[in-house]
Every structure is written in structure tokens, then in C-alpha cells.
Amino acid sequence: MERIVIIGGGYAGIYALRELVKNKNIKITLIDKHTYHNLQPEVYDLIANKSNFADVTIDLTTLCRGFNHNHLEFKNLKVRKIDQHAKKIFTEEQEIVEYDYLIMAAGTRTFFPSSIPGLNNADDIKKLHRAITFKQSFERQLFEKIKNEAKQCADTHIVVVGAGLSGVEIAAEMAYYANKFFQRGNFSCDNLKISLISSSSSILPGLKQDLINISQQRLKSLGINIITNTKLQKVEDGYCYLSNGTKINHSFVVFTGGVESSTITAELDDVAKNNRGQIIVNEFMQTDRYENIFAVGDIAEIRNLKGEIMPPNVTIARISGTNAGKNVLNMIAQRPLEKCNPKLDGILIALGGEYAAGDIYGILTVKGRLAYEIKKYVFHSYRKPLIKLIKKGYAKLKRF
């Protein structure tokens, strides 16, 4: 029986799994150091109290149980070493997992440049436990603020560094949440400030100008201070020091200035990678050295058939994960492999509350409540079948 291992239970890994389970005569093992699949784009809703922990996670144990496959298992393990010649995976828990085919889907992590002193103390909301810690710290400070408002009214200042999608969305959600919080309670000490710092000449570099304009107008209406053409140089003594020669005080620093590949890619030391550590794959999602090792989602440098590098997002995770799953099954059945030619469906940006902006297939620009409803529909269309599976898996577990 052929053994397939997926490392990483994120979007790309789940889509690969959904293809692989179509073959009932193979053994599939999903490995992740976490017990849950983090629905990362929705974590901002969690921070802004629009959802709870259960809304932004999918339990991997019950998910795997929910699939109708007798040879599928989830292992909550931390990978330490991969021996691609012996086809063995070594884990921190001393368990060895063998494979015939391997799909790398471990994703990325926030990149904290060592050249910026003090940045190691910044908040990293890409990791769910860090996002929850940030949420708790922020709410604790709000409580202290209103508790002491008659005596003093100290500033609360959130500095968001990086004005790409993540930075813009977290700044917008936090500003909207804070504004509603103070309005609802009619608190006098409502001097929360949010600054968004972009090293580029605008926010959302690389996106269409109309999306940039809509987003910038919305951020300003939420009271967010946008600082462009400026880099963070160091974080020290409650201040952020900027490249324009100024310093601004901060209560929290949220860093969204870039990502790098999971450290696990270093274990495949003889495959081609780019300068961010992403594994370079061919049109079949295979590594250059091993046709039985695939890389998908954010951990891979994925190009379309024109040779253009695709941005790391959920759409590309879906397409690449699905393609790798199909091609593993094709290899097992000795069928021709299918080329992956990813295309972006568009982009949708959450901008606080029930407001969003989006570009649909490069044809239509939408904004406001309509864009928000489209974004929620896309999310629910992904989550709904997974919820069905984990309910089925949970029912199976309760029988034992």
C-alpha cells in the first residue's frame, strides 16, 4: 500500500487531502504541530470580537475522522528532520514516519528582520496563540483605560508596521472595533490611536489603484494615521524610531512586514529554493530533485504557465494543493501528470465592520457592504464542507 504524507494542515494541505481521499487503497498521514487548521484570514474578526476561537479553527483530528477513508490518520507531531533518500520523517516526539510520496504544505511565518533592533517584542498575529495574546492584552489595556479615566487618560497607540493586505486589514478591524467600543459605552477616554506604516509610497503596493484609493479613504475615515515612504528602524523604550527621523510612542507594535518560509524547508537542503526559503517547484508542483516530493501553498514558489510568480494566498493554496493531490494519485496510477496553471479569482480586503473592497476577476471593483458579503460567502463556502466533515468525525469519535 502506497504511503502519502502531508506536512501541514493549512489550506494547501487540506485541499491536497481532499483529493487524496478519493483513492481508498492508499495510506495517508497528515502531520501538523498544531491540532487545528487556522483559518488565518478570519483571525482579524477574532481580535475584533466578531467571532470566537471555534469560528476560526478546524479540528484536524475530527476532520480526518470525517473523511470516509479507512487508512487516513492525523498525527500531532513536530517535524525535526527529513531523510529524502530513506524516505523517512523524524519528529521531536521520537516517532518516525515513512512515506512513498511527500507533500510539503507547512506554510510561512512572519519574517522579523534581525536588522531592526527590538522587533522581537512585536506582536505576530499570523500565529493564532499570539493573536489571542494580543487580543487579551489589548482588551486589558482598554479596561485599565476606562477604569482610570477620571484620573488620567493615557494614550493607547497601536503601531502596525507593514501596509500590505494583513497590515491594512488588522488596522481597519482594530480601529472599527475600538470606535464602536467607545461609542457603545460613551466612555470619555476614547483617545486610542492607530498608525499604519508603509515602506512604499502607498498602502497595498502592487494592487490596482482604485482598490488602493478605496482602502485609503476607508482607513482615514476610521481615524487611522497612514505614514508612507517610511521604514521602522528600531523599537525601544516604548517608542518606534522611523527612517524619516521621527519617533512615535506605542502601546503595541504589530509587525506584518513580510513572510518567510517555514523552517522545515531547511531539511530539504538539496532542493532549489528562493531567497525567502520557499521551495521552487515545477508545473506539476514537484521539487527539482525528487519527483515524489511536492510543495504547495505558501511554502512554495509557484508560477503560472507564463512564468509569473503567484502571490501567497488562499486561492493559490487551493489550486496548488488540489493539483499536487491529483498528481500523486496520477503517479500511483501511472497516468500522465497534470500541469498547474494558477489564476487569481480576484482579491477581497476586509476594511472594518461590514465594509470591504474587492477586485473580481480583474473586471469588477466592488466596495462597501456588497464586497463584505462576497467575502463572507467565499469564506463560508470553504468552511461549510469542513464543518460537515468535523461533525461527522466527532460523531464517529463519540461511538468509541
Side-chain angles (χ1 to χ4, degrees), residues 364-378:
L364 179 66
T365 299
V366 290
K367 66 177 181 177
R369 179 66 182 266
L370 173 62
Y372 172 80
E373 293 297 341
I374 294 171
K375 192 175 192 303
K376 297 308 289 185
Y377 171 78
V378 170

Side-chain angles (χ1 to χ4, degrees), residues 279-285 297 300-313 315-316 319-320 323 338-345:
I279 298 169
I280 297 172
V281 294
N282 63 15
E283 65 269 35
F284 308 117
M285 299 297 102
E301 180 185 288
I302 298 168
R303 296 174 183 262
N304 60 20
L305 296 183
K306 295 179 183 177
E308 300 165 331
I309 296 177
M310 305 307 291
N313 62 25
T315 299
I316 304 305
I319 295 169
S320 62
N323 181 261
E338 298 178 28
K339 291 183 178 181
C340 185
N341 186 24
K343 296 182 177 69
L344 290 173
D345 299 334

Side-chain angles (χ1 to χ4, degrees), residues 22 54 92 105 116 142 159 174 207 214 253 269 338 350 363 381 383-384:
K22 294 176 181 177
E92 193 173 90
I116 304 177
L142 285 183
V159 178
M174 291 304 296
L207 295 192
I214 292 167
V253 178
D269 55 358
E338 298 178 28
I363 301 170
S381 65
R383 185 173 178 266
K384 188 176 179 180

Side-chain angles (χ1 to χ4, degrees), residues 163 196-203 216 225-231 243-244:
L196 178 64
I197 300 175
S198 174
S199 59
S200 301
S201 58
S202 74
I203 61 170
Q216 185 151 311
N225 178 32
I226 301 171
I227 304 171
T228 57
N229 286 314
T230 303
K231 293 181 179 180
S243 60
N244 61 9

Side-chain angles (χ1 to χ4, degrees), residues 340-359:
C340 185
N341 186 24
K343 296 182 177 69
L344 290 173
D345 299 334
I347 190 164
L348 290 160
I349 310 163
L351 292 170
E354 296 181 344
Y355 193 103
D359 173 60

